[in-house]
């Protein structure tokens, strides 16, 4: 066990901080919002619950949910335009403070790149620092599946991305922040995991996190000290 003061030191001296997106950086679960928009909300949110609880491999759950939703390119674009995701309070200030300290900030999501890039632009995070799943469309805009080669399409994908970032940029200390089991599993290779329960509390994550917060203000406070 690492003491809380050591965890705080690690966070304050991190080279890179990686955030999950759904229910962490934004208040919603992107896939559930897409399902609601496409009229298949109930069936899909039940599957999301099962996937979050680890009852089903991530890629299988993603394939099944997308097969139900069948989102077209136009529907995804309309969702972003008409129901843009809501940033979690405090995230804008936290990201901006980290960037002022020359910390690299990444978004690593099992959600969809088109939605996550929209979120990244609101936080001044370059799209090269976004790792998420890519939806594929036929030339007429109809749904054609997703890019199964993305590491984020797999169980354990967030850890693979962090390992890749460490190899590529030689980061010494990487922090992962998120609400879900897939975020917690990314540590290691992340050096510190901070569980976030500001939008939804997942008991398994709360019980097993060495550091658990419900408000980003707490992390901002650490950086100010």
């Amino acid at each position: 066990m690492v003491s809380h003061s050591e965890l705080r030191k690690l966070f304050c001296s991190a080279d890179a901080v990686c955030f999950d997106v759904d229910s962490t950086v934004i208040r919603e679960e992107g896939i559930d919002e897409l399902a609601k928009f496409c009229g298949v909300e109930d069936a899909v949110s039940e599957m999301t619950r099962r996937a979050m609880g680890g009852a089903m491999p991530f890629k299988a759950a993603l394939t099944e949910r997308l097969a139900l939703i069948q989102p077209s390119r136009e529907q995804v674009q309309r969702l972003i335009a008409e129901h843009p995701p809501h940033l979690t309070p405090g995230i804008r200030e936290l990201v901006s403070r980290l960037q002022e300290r020359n910390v690299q900030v990444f978004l690593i999501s099992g959600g969809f790149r088109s939605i996550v890039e929209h979120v990244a632009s609101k936080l001044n995070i370059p799209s090269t620092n976004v790792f998420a799943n890519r939806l594929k469309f036929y030339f007429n805009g109809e749904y054609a599946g997703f890019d199964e080669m993305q590491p984020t399409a797999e169980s354990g994908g967030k850890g693979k991305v962090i390992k890749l970032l460490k190899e590529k940029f030689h980061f010494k200390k990487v922090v992962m922040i998120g609400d879900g089991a897939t975020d917690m599993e990314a540590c290691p290779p992340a050096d510190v995991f901070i569980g976030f329960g500001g939008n939804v509390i997942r008991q398994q994550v709360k019980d097993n996190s060495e550091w658990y917060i419900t408000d980003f203000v707490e992390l901002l406070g650490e950086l100010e000290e």
Side-chain angles (χ1 to χ4, degrees), residues 30-166:
I31 194 160
D32 290 349
E33 292 302 303
L34 190 56
K36 192 189 294 182
F37 194 72
C38 297
V40 287
E41 179 186 6
D42 293 345
V44 170
S45 52
E46 177 52 38
M47 278 186 188
T48 299
R49 266 198 299 281
R50 277 167 51 207
M52 280 289 178
M56 196 177 192
F58 185 80
K59 189 185 274 188
L62 187 61
T63 306
E64 275 196 30
R65 287 179 292 175
L66 283 169
L68 266 178
I69 304 171
Q70 294 276 326
S72 67
R73 180 184 278 128
E74 188 210 358
Q75 283 172 316
V76 174
Q77 287 167 345
R78 275 181 48 217
L79 171 71
I80 295 168
E82 295 171 23
H83 302 278
H86 298 89
L87 291 176
T88 300
I91 188 66
R92 202 189 288 271
E93 295 79 3
L94 178 58
V95 168
S96 141
R97 188 78 191 92
L98 288 165
Q99 289 168 333
E100 281 167 18
R101 293 167 68 106
N102 295 317
V103 177
Q104 285 287 324
V105 178
F106 296 89
L107 299 181
I108 307 179
S109 172
F112 307 120
R113 192 172 179 95
S114 40
I115 297 173
V116 177
E117 281 189 342
H118 173 80
V119 173
S121 70
K122 298 263 175 269
L123 296 169
N124 296 316
I125 295 171
S127 60
T128 47
N129 286 20
V130 169
F131 294 84
N133 289 316
R134 289 178 187 275
L135 293 172
K136 295 198 291 198
F137 303 101
Y138 292 112
F139 67 92
N140 63 357
E142 282 177 14
Y143 174 67
F146 63 96
D147 179 357
E148 298 194 18
M149 301 311 288
Q150 293 292 323
T152 46
E154 297 274 359
S155 296
K158 291 177 181 176
K160 285 180 193 151
V161 171
I162 290 174
K163 186 169 178 284
L164 191 106
L165 291 176
K166 282 186 146 183

Side-chain angles (χ1 to χ4, degrees), residues 172-224:
K172 296 277 182 291
K173 294 177 199 159
V174 177
V175 176
M176 178 73 206
I177 301 173
D179 67 288
T182 58
D183 307 312
M184 190 163 64
E185 285 159 8
C187 177
D191 301 278
V192 178
F193 169 68
I194 302 172
F196 180 73
N199 293 311
V200 58
I201 290 178
R202 304 193 196 281
Q203 204 57 42
Q204 177 201 358
V205 177
K206 187 178 184 185
D207 293 346
N208 293 290
S209 299
E210 291 180 7
W211 190 357
Y212 194 81
I213 62 167
T214 53
D215 196 323
F216 286 128
V217 166
E218 187 177 329
L219 295 183
L220 262 172
E222 296 294 341
L223 296 175
E224 301 307 330

Side-chain angles (χ1 to χ4, degrees), residues 6-19:
E6 283 175 279
L7 283 174
R8 288 154 77 162
K9 260 191 219 133
L10 279 167
F11 171 67
C12 291
S13 60
D15 312 295
V17 176
C18 303
F19 289 92

